């Protein structure tokens, strides 16, 4: 087993000193305090999109600012996350795999607290408080709440963040095709009135929620459509009209994807839920996230280190055009006429959203003093000029319909195949020896938890009372010849826990069925057709309106109607690899016509994989080494990886009664349960499995489980590296 490198390391001397006042991050004195941390998370941007890593296909999004930081730091070319966003984010903020956190897929409104980050976990901001760090997050949260969680919108504060400015549930709402109530549903596919050439208008009145109004027009083909200009400014555009009495049809209470979102602000423990009519909740989301981060960083005192997590919503669906000023390289003057529901135009819009994110990232660095612009306008980033570590990651793989060749769109986000879990990781800053290099060793997103501790001089393994799965990253930065610290890498996705054994409804995308989308709107935002409760598609097999609660029941209905059945995507997808081989284990639902019931099918596949550029060895269907007679070497690798995967999946069994998961059922558990049952009564980590399911309530039955197990010590699991 490789060494974990879990040693507290003082970085002050290595990092070039402290920081000046005003939050600009500039180095001032020798060894005054540990480095600041700027952590940037890109949503649904897998390594397939990244020219900095040698990929991106023929149409890689232009990312000059991120590329500049990558060229001044270390590019980790063999990093795995989890197949979806919430488990991927929990991995780097807790240092624990989903098998320990019980967060297996994107958290939806029906998922119980048992599949959210527990308030008793040690998160990164809680860990860094040991070194006096102040922590803030901007943008997408999606780790817990607000539904089925006692803390609700206060969840970031409960989990340790001192400041939060963003969206708790994470996902942008669907596009408002009425464009603020000015037209019938499905009139404007991108949520705004396009230009005249695309059937819209080039001028009109832009009304705001405070009853103010300005006339907006497009006077140049290089400008955004007047409707998008108005939407970006927080207004509702009425085409072809002058300002006057506010039309009665205007609806400022409608969410609109990236432009109108229910903002939550937490500062000093005070939670402010910003209404949609408030100007702060209106505007392009990536810009709002960046503005908030800039303001906070610039206001930090020089006496205290900080960690700012800029958790961008982009480039997650729904795909919606950003302001053209943010995409100067590939922005198309006619993009306001694109169909945001189309697959081809959706790919182009996602490129623009990624490029807009890169533009705002560059502005973030410049306005906080972490970089500057050269005379040619290019970002000039000197990692030694500031006492700030910059970490850039993707949270999971790219959505299938946006994947860049030669990566596989059919084995992307939501699966444990390479395209679904292989993500960019860039680290830059004063502690990096020999910048502009690559590390090809295996890294997992759980390792970032330990790395953030290393930056602060904290031994994460010693500081956290639970088992964490992190392995050191810092040695790769300070020692260019550092051998690999991992012998295996691991990832898993599945389904979260819902009341009474419930699941997300069925979503049909092309010829496949999946239960990954958390709701009808998310299904449709991903070009799917909803077959779950509340479906309204006439092509769906009639079911009396109840919908289908599983993909196998969809196939059952299709079979009985004499129609072709669908390919059911894996409901659990796990993978483990060593330096050369990768084992994938998929668990699928199936419909068995003979018994007229659902069954479970488990399959295993073995691949040889690598990180070659521009064409890596990927785990595509034609390359399964188990499909033919494997050689002795291949069979030995399969047997070893299979045993290690089984060990990983069994590493952290449930311990009934231990709601805070501190390893013992004791009086503290009884006290915690008692308060929750009395003051809350709904879903919590003290809602235990009874009769094989959770009921979503914290009540006397759960208290009895605590009492029945008082004094029990839970076996402490070990990390597998």
């Amino acid at each position: 087993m490789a060494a974990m490198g879990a040693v507290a390391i003082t970085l002050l001397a290595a990092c070039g000193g402290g920081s000046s006042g005003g939050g600009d991050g500039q180095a001032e004195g020798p060894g005054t305090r540990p480095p600041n941390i700027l952590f940037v998370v890109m949503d649904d941007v897998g390594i397939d999109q990244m020219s900095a890593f040698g990929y991106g296909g023929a149409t890689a999004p232009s990312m000059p600012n991120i590329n500049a930081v990558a060229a001044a730091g270390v590019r980790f070319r063999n990093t795995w996350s989890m197949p979806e966003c919430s488990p991927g984010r929990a991995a780097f903020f807790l240092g624990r795999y989903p098998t320990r956190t019980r967060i297996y897929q994107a958290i939806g409104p029906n998922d119980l607290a048992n599949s959210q980050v527990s308030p008793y976990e040690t998160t990164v901001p809680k860990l860094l408080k040991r070194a006096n760090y102040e922590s803030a997050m901007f943008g997408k949260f999606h780790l817990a709440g607000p539904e089925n969680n006692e803390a609700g919108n206060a969840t970031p504060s409960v989990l340790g963040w001192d400041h939060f400015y963003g969206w708790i549930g994470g996902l942008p709402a669907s596009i408002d095709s009425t464009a603020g109530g000015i037209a019938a549903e499905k009139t404007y596919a991108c949520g705004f009135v396009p230009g005249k050439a695309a059937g819209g208008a080039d001028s009109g009145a832009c009304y705001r929620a405070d009853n103010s109004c300005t006339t907006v027009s497009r006077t140049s083909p290089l400008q955004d459509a007047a409707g998008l200009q108005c939407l970006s400014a927080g207004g509702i555009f009425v085409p072809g009209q002058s300002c006057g009495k506010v039309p009665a049809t205007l609806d400022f209470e409608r969410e609109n994807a990236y432009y109108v979102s229910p903002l939550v602000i937490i500062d000093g423990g005070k939670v402010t839920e910003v209404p949609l009519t408030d100007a702060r909740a209106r505007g392009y989301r990536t810009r709002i996230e960046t503005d908030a981060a800039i303001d906070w960083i610039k206001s930090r005192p020089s006496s205290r280190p900080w960690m700012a997590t800029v958790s961008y919503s982009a480039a997650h669906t729904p795909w919606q055009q950003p302001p053209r000023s943010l995409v100067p390289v590939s922005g198309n003057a006619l993009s306001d006429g694109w169909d945001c529901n189309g697959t081809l135009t959706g790919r182009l819009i996602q490129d623009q959203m990624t490029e807009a994110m890169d533009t705002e990232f560059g502005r973030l660095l410049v306005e906080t003093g972490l970089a500057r612009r050269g005379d040619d306008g290019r970002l000039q980033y000197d990692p030694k000029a500031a006492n700030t570590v910059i970490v850039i990651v993707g949270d999971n793989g790219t959505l299938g319909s946006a994947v860049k060749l030669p990566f596989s769109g059919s084995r992307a986000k939501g699966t444990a195949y390479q395209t679904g879990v292989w993500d960019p990781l860039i680290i830059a800053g004063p502690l990096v020896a020999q910048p502009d290099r690559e590390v090809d060793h295996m890294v997992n997103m759980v390792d970032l938890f330990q790395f953030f501790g290393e930056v602060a001089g904290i031994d994460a393994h010693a500081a956290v009372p639970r088992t964490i799965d992190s392995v050191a990253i810092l040695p790769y930065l300070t020692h260019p010849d550092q051998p690999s610290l991992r012998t295996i890498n691991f990832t898993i996705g599945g389904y979260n826990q819902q009341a009474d054994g419930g699941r997300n409804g069925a979503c049909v995308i092309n010829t496949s069925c999946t239960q990954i989308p958390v709701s009808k709107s998310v299904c449709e935002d991903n070009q799917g057709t909803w077959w779950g409760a509340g479906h309204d598609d006439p092509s769906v097999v009639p079911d009396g309106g109840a919908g289908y609660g599983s993909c196998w029941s969809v196939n059952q209905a299709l079979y009985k109607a004499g129609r072709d059945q669908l390919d059911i995507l894996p409901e659990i997808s796990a993978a483990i690899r060593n330096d050369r081989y990768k084992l994938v284990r998929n668990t699928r639902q199936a419909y068995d016509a003979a018994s007229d019931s659902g069954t479970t099918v488990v399959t295993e596949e073995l691949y040889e994989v690598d990180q070659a550029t521009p064409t890596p060895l990927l785990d595509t269907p034609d390359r399964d080494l188990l499909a033919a007679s494997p050689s002795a070497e291949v069979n030995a690798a399969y047997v070893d990886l299979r045993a290690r995967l089984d060990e990983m999946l069994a590493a952290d069994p449930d311990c009934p009664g231990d709601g805070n998961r501190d390893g013992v059922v004791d009086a503290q558990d009884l006290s915690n349960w008692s308060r929750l049952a009395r003051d809350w009564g709904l879903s919590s980590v003290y809602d235990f499995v009874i009769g094989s399911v959770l009921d979503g309530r914290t009540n006397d039955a759960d208290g009895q489980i605590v009492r029945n197990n008082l004094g029990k010590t839970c076996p402490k699991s070990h990390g597998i590296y």
Side-chain angles (χ1 to χ4, degrees), residues 16 79 146 182 205 260 342 440 451 472 486 583:
T79 304
I182 68 167
V260 185
D440 205 45
F451 175 68
R486 279 190 169 274
L583 174 66

Side-chain angles (χ1 to χ4, degrees), residues 536-557:
D536 54 9
D537 191 305
S539 68
V540 173
V541 176
D543 63 356
Y548 297 91
S550 65
C551 283
W552 76 260
S553 62
V554 169
N555 272 352
Q556 179 187 48

